[in-house]
Amino acid sequence: MKKLFVSLLAALLALACAAGLAETPPDGTTLDAWAHEEGWTSFSAYTQVEALDSAWEAAAASFGAAVGMEDLDGSTLKALNMAACGFEDGITTLTFSGSTVTALNQAGNVVFAHAYRFVETIDAALEGAPVYVYTTDDAQAGQYAFLCISLPGVASDEGGVVTNFSLRCTESDYSALFHDGYEGVTHVLVHADTPIEDVDYTIRLVYSLGAVN
């Protein structure tokens, strides 16, 4: 199971890095780089969308064959996805406005809202891409005291994986999030207004290791 989890995490990072950056990448030292009117939806939230069940089943068949688990089904893959990139506390959406990051649940209720300030850039932290570290002075932030965020990737005009970014968070020692062999959660978020057919394609692509079923 440990090997399977690591393989799943690698697939998620491939999703985060598959979309290319804009010709002039935004400045990651301000949260404006992640400003999007509709916010960002956790990729794991799509495990709850019935219209995507066939995509998860196809992805499970491809991914299971690749990792030696031919009996892997869509339900199990969705559960593994939740473990690898899902939020606790029912969080499904993040919004960025000024210096504030707000987390919402499925019903649109606020789970937290903290003001963050930039700390530093960690070069080549995720699959060769930099991450930008932010922290809040809110003593109630808990595991969201430090946010380590990659820049949003931009989906190509020809189609492919959707615009997305990766996020890891922690209460204290954020350097531990990037050591070799990290097996913790990597949140992957996509534009909240992404068309469902693009999400369908992305699920099939990322878990089929490039051969869409």
Side-chain angles (χ1 to χ4, degrees):
M1 185 60 69
K2 178 180 178 181
K3 181 179 179 182
L4 179 60
F5 186 86
V6 172
S7 297
L8 182 68
L9 183 58
L12 289 167
L13 289 178
L15 165 62
C17 297
L21 289 177
E23 291 185 8
T24 304
D27 179 6
T29 64
T30 75
L31 289 175
D32 290 344
W34 294 271
H36 183 67
E37 184 174 356
E38 302 299 328
W40 299 82
T41 295
S42 171
F43 191 62
S44 63
Y46 293 109
T47 62
Q48 307 303 312
V49 179
E50 186 176 351
L52 295 171
D53 283 351
S54 62
W56 287 108
E57 289 294 342
S62 297
F63 188 67
V67 298
M69 290 187 64
E70 286 75 11
D71 59 345
L72 183 68
D73 60 18
S75 295
T76 303
L77 180 59
K78 288 191 286 187
L80 286 167
N81 182 281
M82 285 295 298
C85 73
F87 283 96
E88 297 179 1
D89 308 318
I91 293 170
T92 59
T93 304
L94 293 184
T95 64
F96 296 77
S97 178
S99 63
T100 300
V101 179
T102 302
L104 307 171
N105 62 19
Q106 189 71 46
N109 298 319
V110 175
V111 178
F112 73 75
H114 305 306
Y116 286 87
R117 54 184 169 80
F118 177 72
V119 177
E120 67 167 318
T121 302
I122 303 178
D123 293 325
L126 286 177
E127 295 293 308
V131 298
Y132 299 84
V133 181
Y134 287 82
T135 191
T136 178
D137 295 321
D138 190 333
Q140 304 303 313
Q143 65 177 309
Y144 303 107
F146 288 91
L147 305 181
C148 303
I149 323 174
S150 67
L151 286 173
V154 180
S156 69
D157 293 336
E158 293 77 22
V161 297
V162 297
T163 300
N164 67 88
F165 71 88
S166 292
L167 180 153
R168 291 177 182 174
C169 52
T170 185
E171 187 170 358
S172 55
D173 181 17
Y174 60 83
S175 64
L177 300 177
F178 303 102
H179 64 75
D180 291 340
Y182 173 77
E183 297 176 12
V185 174
T186 297
H187 305 292
V188 176
L189 296 102
V190 304
H191 280 165
D193 53 354
T194 299
I196 195 68
E197 58 268 23
D198 290 352
V199 178
D200 183 295
Y201 180 87
T202 298
I203 291 169
R204 296 170 188 268
L205 180 68
V206 69
Y207 293 114
S208 63
L209 307 179
V212 179
N213 289 329

